[in-house]
Amino acid sequence: AYSLKEKMISRPQLDVIFKDYKNIEERNELIIMARVRCKYFIAEIARHLKLNRSTVGKIIRRYETGK
């Protein structure tokens, strides 16, 4: 198992993740990937995209609950 610090070193930067999205659906999929696979904090994602933390949290909760 890798430590959180080791995982953070190998994850892509947020500007790379969100470089070329074309619409809200793609953006939302990338938000989920950044949170679930890359372990970014909701606040980090929200700050990068200039969104409210609650907006990003709702997108992730929708994914987690399957709605």
Side-chain angles (χ1 to χ4, degrees):
Y2 296 101
S3 70
L4 180 58
K5 189 173 185 175
E6 289 171 316
K7 288 178 185 176
M8 290 174 66
I9 291 170
S10 64
R11 69 184 180 178
Q13 296 294 312
L14 288 171
D15 57 344
V16 173
I17 293 172
F18 293 103
K19 184 178 167 194
D20 290 323
Y21 72 88
K22 295 167 184 60
N23 54 48
I24 291 174
E25 289 78 19
E26 282 186 23
R27 182 205 66 192
N28 292 353
E29 289 174 15
L30 293 170
I31 287 171
I32 292 161
M33 186 199 68
R35 176 70 180 134
V36 175
R37 285 191 30 215
C38 301
K39 307 295 186 213
Y40 277 100
F41 292 113
I42 291 172
E44 293 174 296
I45 298 167
R47 192 176 317 113
H48 180 79
L49 295 173
K50 296 178 176 49
L51 294 172
N52 192 292
R53 284 192 325 250
S54 66
T55 302
V56 174
K58 287 176 189 174
I59 292 164
I60 293 165
R61 274 192 301 284
R62 231 179 279 138
Y63 166 78
E64 291 173 341
T65 59
K67 293 183 178 178

